[in-house]
Amino acid sequence: MILQALNDYYERLRADPETEVSDFGFSQEKLAFSLVLSEQGSVVQLRDLRQFEGKRSFPKPAVVPKLPKERSGTNAPSYFMWDKSKYVLGCELDSDGNEIFFKNQFDSFAEVHREILGDNKDSGAKALLNFIDQRIFGQVPEWATKELLSTGFICFELDGQRGFLHERSAIRNAWQEYLRKNQSEIRGQCLITGQHDCSIPSTHPQMKNVPGAQPAGAALVSFNAPAFGSYGKGTSNHNAPVSERAAFGYTTALNVLLAPGSRRKVQLGETTVVFWTDIPGVAEEFFGLSVGVKEAEDHEMAQEVDQYLRAVVKGYYPHELGKRDTPFYVLGLSPNAARLSVRFWHVGTVGKMAENIGNHYKALRLQRSFENEPEYPRPWWLLKELAPQRDSRHIPPLLGGQFIRAIVHNQPYPRTLLTTVMGRIRADRQVNYLRACIIKAYLTRNAQKEISMGVDKENTNIGYRLGRLFAVVDYIQNDAAPGANVTVRDRFFGAAAATPRRIFPVILKNAQHSLAKIRKEKPGWAITLDKSVQTILGDVDPRKGFPATMTLEQQGMFVLGYYHQRQDLYTKQEDKTEE
């Protein structure tokens, strides 16, 4: 199903005139130089194709002939109509600027082009063959600059004519004929298209731009041990027969999704998430900006995304996202040595995806501490709260994928989300808006708790009550001794949440001393605070007293009660100041 959906996406890209995607046997690569040849094969001009921004240079992207299989090894064959200088001229500069000659690569360039263009009558093909005949191994032409010998790929043009040689129809036809003659001799039924008598390759092209995977690429479909094979097919991909064209299609589509700068890709921890729809539209952009790292490029776009989120949180469907029943696909990948692991795969509709995203942000909703805090915090911001020093490199590697999967499937959040955030709070004793959002979302969805956005004085949950009580005690100490080096929260927050019976008698006794100090300067305010303590204590069952220990969910409620009560206390104080 994954391969079939990716192959269908490739066909969608090919049909889209605004998208440039290569045909079978071709690939988009980056070219640095072009040699302009005369019909006799002499070099008329060396053309630099790069664009410069300051000191940085950017090669020109172009679609060039290329076998679906990546070349490898020290004596790998030459590319057709383009390659590096060590193939084109048999020479390359090392890091010290010394010339190094490559005989095998020099010969391979000639061998490949003579085989494919041998009797071709095209003037461009003849010019290139003449150029090859005029080369002398071990001699570097005068026109070959140091940059040419050390930077990027080289292609060819014919003097007086527009376009590259590899774009000429006669040369493209020769390349396609070469592909047809050299296709795999193993034939069978393609498991993607269902077509019979197809050429079945032994390996598939590799996927690039997956962080953590090998830079040269990693396989989505592969068999690395005979034990995984069947019917004596060993470790080849004949165990999963896919035609050459379908293999090229699904891998090309996935590489387009994974390309740098792709708007259909989200990176969370070690999990790379790609997504697409059957019909191009706003829905893909909306999903990427809703669960991704990047902000909208302009203020207007950011406002639109917030409007969409506001609508889906309320249960409405923004019609700008297109038809609700448009298929929507989400694929989560993670690196695994030379292969890719599929972390999750989701097939749904745009309407259902919008509903799931709405449910997620509805579970997160909480009263903000400050106006500049995000109303709809993205998953990346939440995950950074779980990392020591908020360093994204320390985000638990598996948690990102589990979190996104829960959002996409509208399933319970991973247990590690709650354990990690509680661990961070115990470690640095910081309870902020984003961490409270994480806990609220977890308890709302996983524990089926009904939690309000602000303080809920009717909530009888013991954890919530004790969290509110702790916030009041913390406030009393800060009011009595502002600027103290160590606060109640610094000393007792983690222990009070985990073992209330051991901690609360101590901090309540100390709170009475602090109230006595406040009473000397602000007697009315001291009475108000004392009433708050007594009111919250009055809801604690006197027969049971403070619980000896609390579960992790109760500790989560403790944090929320503390956050809510603290918000309520400081909001009231501001109101009084304004009055």
Side-chain angles (χ1 to χ4, degrees):
M1 183 61 189
I2 297 175
L3 304 186
Q4 190 176 33
L6 284 169
N7 190 53
D8 291 344
Y9 181 61
Y10 171 71
E11 296 300 333
R12 191 201 106 179
L13 293 176
R14 287 190 66 197
D16 186 353
E18 296 182 358
T19 304
E20 187 176 357
V21 61
S22 52
D23 294 328
F24 175 70
F26 294 83
S27 173
Q28 189 170 68
E29 303 293 338
K30 296 177 179 177
L31 305 177
F33 294 95
S34 174
L35 299 184
V36 182
L37 305 178
S38 68
E39 291 192 3
Q40 291 72 36
S42 58
V43 176
V44 177
Q45 181 187 358
L46 171 61
R47 201 155 71 86
D48 193 339
L49 303 176
R50 298 171 296 170
Q51 291 186 341
F52 291 87
E53 291 183 8
K55 294 183 179 179
R56 297 184 62 190
S57 63
F58 298 90
K60 179 184 178 66
V63 176
V64 295
K66 187 180 179 184
L67 288 172
K69 181 182 177 182
E70 294 289 338
R71 70 182 182 186
S72 62
T74 55
N75 293 319
S78 166
Y79 290 133
F80 178 60
M81 304 305 294
W82 64 287
D83 216 316
K84 294 183 176 179
S85 66
K86 68 180 180 181
Y87 283 88
V88 176
L89 301 175
C91 179
E92 196 172 67
L93 298 184
D94 63 12
S95 57
D96 297 326
N98 301 317
E99 294 177 351
I100 303 176
F101 294 93
F102 299 86
K103 183 69 167 96
N104 290 334
Q105 286 75 8
F106 181 84
D107 292 340
S108 173
F109 188 76
E111 183 182 344
V112 167
H113 288 82
R114 284 174 181 147
E115 179 182 0
I116 300 174
L117 300 175
D119 55 353
N120 200 300
K121 305 300 182 186
D122 181 74
S123 57
K126 289 182 178 178
L128 182 63
L129 292 175
N130 289 336
F131 166 78
I132 291 173
D133 291 340
Q134 294 172 18
R135 298 181 308 162
I136 301 175
F137 180 71
Q139 293 185 10
V140 179
E142 293 181 356
W143 46 262
T145 63
K146 289 185 177 179
E147 285 189 311
L148 178 78
L149 296 174
S150 58
T151 306
F153 291 104
I154 305 167
C155 63
F156 300 91
E157 297 177 65
L158 187 60
D159 186 29
Q161 298 193 22
R162 301 183 62 180
F164 299 118
L165 287 188
H166 63 259
E167 295 173 341
R168 297 169 72 89
S169 58
I171 293 178
R172 287 176 65 93
N173 291 339
W175 172 247
Q176 289 171 342
E177 179 64 17
Y178 173 79
L179 291 176
R180 190 185 64 77
K181 289 180 179 177
N182 289 274
Q183 61 186 358
S184 171
E185 295 179 354
I186 304 296
R187 306 192 73 81
Q189 184 179 14
C190 175
L191 61 80
I192 292 180
T193 64
Q195 292 179 339
H196 293 271
D197 195 28
C198 296
S199 173
I200 307 297
S202 59
T203 59
H204 297 173
Q206 304 212 317
M207 264 54 69
K208 299 179 180 177
N209 301 308
V210 176
Q214 292 184 355
L220 183 63
V221 177
S222 67
F223 299 82
N224 65 329
F228 303 126
S230 59
Y231 297 100
K233 295 179 180 177
T235 58
S236 72
N237 278 10
H238 296 149
N239 291 290
V242 176
S243 69
E244 285 184 328
R245 290 183 180 274
F248 177 81
Y250 91 76
T251 53
T252 301
L254 189 49
N255 276 321
V256 169
L257 293 167
L258 292 169
S262 170
R263 292 176 175 273
R264 296 171 181 82
K265 178 178 73 171
V266 170
Q267 187 68 43
L268 288 170
E270 71 163 15
T271 302
T272 304
V273 181
V274 295
F275 46 90
W276 68 97
T277 63
D278 273 359
I279 303 173
V282 181
E284 293 172 338
E285 191 89 11
F286 168 68
F287 182 82
L289 293 173
S290 299
V291 304
V293 179
K294 294 181 179 177
E295 292 284 351
E297 292 179 350
D298 53 54
H299 182 65
E300 187 176 342
M301 186 65 192
Q303 284 188 327
E304 280 187 22
V305 173
D306 279 355
Q307 284 179 359
Y308 296 154
L309 287 175
R310 205 166 287 122
V312 297
V313 165
K314 292 179 180 176
Y316 301 122
Y317 178 75
H319 294 290
E320 292 84 351
L321 300 182
K323 294 182 179 178
R324 297 176 65 106
D325 57 354
T326 302
F328 194 100
Y329 307 94
V330 184
L331 175 63
L333 300 170
S334 62
N336 183 8
R339 286 163 286 280
L340 297 180
S341 297
V342 175
R343 297 295 307 281
F344 58 87
W345 166 242
H346 174 78
V347 181
T349 63
V350 171
K352 188 63 179 175
M353 183 56 61
E355 182 182 332
N356 291 347
I357 291 175
N359 289 336
H360 165 68
Y361 281 103
K362 186 177 180 180
L364 282 176
R365 293 200 72 186
L366 200 64
Q367 184 179 343
R368 289 176 288 175
S369 300
F370 305 99
E371 286 298 320
N372 60 356
E373 290 177 324
E375 185 177 2
Y376 302 105
R378 306 297 193 263
W380 178 254
W381 305 340
L382 300 175
L383 290 173
K384 279 187 71 175
E385 287 294 325
L386 308 181
Q389 290 86 45
R390 295 181 175 82
D391 187 339
S392 59
R393 293 173 299 179
H394 299 149
I395 293 175
L398 299 179
L399 189 53
Q402 295 170 343
F403 190 35
I404 290 295
R405 181 169 56 188
I407 297 171
V408 168
H409 290 90
N410 195 30
Q411 290 177 342
Y413 296 112
R415 176 76 172 176
T416 48
L417 193 68
L418 181 62
T419 57
T420 307
V421 71
M422 293 302 297
R424 291 313 313 155
I425 291 173
R426 277 194 288 269
D428 57 25
R429 297 176 293 280
Q430 291 184 21
V431 179
N432 58 26
Y433 166 66
L434 294 177
R435 290 179 176 181
C437 283
I438 296 171
I439 295 171
K440 176 180 179 288
Y442 180 90
L443 295 176
T444 300
R445 179 173 292 188
N446 292 46
Q448 308 300 315
K449 300 283 187 185
E450 291 188 6
I451 303 169
S452 61
M453 288 181 61
V455 65
D456 180 6
K457 296 181 180 178
E458 305 301 323
N459 193 327
T460 57
N461 182 281
I462 186 63
Y464 189 80
R465 286 282 177 188
L466 294 181
R468 287 184 56 207
L469 180 60
F470 191 88
V472 175
V473 171
D474 184 42
Y475 185 90
I476 290 172
Q477 195 225 23
N478 288 334
D479 204 13
N485 291 331
V486 180
T487 65
V488 173
R489 185 181 63 181
D490 294 334
R491 293 186 60 188
F492 299 110
F493 189 88
T499 55
R501 184 177 297 173
R502 188 167 62 87
I503 300 299
F504 269 93
V506 177
I507 61 175
L508 287 174
K509 182 179 179 181
N510 293 337
Q512 291 303 316
H513 297 305
S514 299
L515 278 173
K517 186 176 180 181
I518 296 172
R519 196 173 291 116
K520 294 177 181 176
E521 299 177 358
K522 296 179 285 187
W525 181 232
I527 293 173
T528 302
L529 291 174
D530 194 26
K531 281 184 177 178
S532 297
V533 172
Q534 298 307 322
T535 302
I536 298 172
L537 272 177
D539 293 322
V540 177
D541 189 344
R543 295 168 297 178
K544 298 180 180 178
F546 296 113
T549 59
M550 292 204 294
T551 64
L552 195 62
E553 282 74 8
Q554 287 175 322
Q555 293 179 45
M557 292 297 293
F558 180 95
V559 174
L560 287 177
Y562 174 82
Y563 177 82
H564 278 164
Q565 187 64 47
R566 190 174 171 81
Q567 292 292 103
D568 186 63
L569 284 167
Y570 282 97
T571 302
K572 284 184 175 180
Q573 185 65 23
E574 289 171 4
D575 290 344
K576 287 177 181 178
T577 305
E578 290 174 3
E579 291 171 3

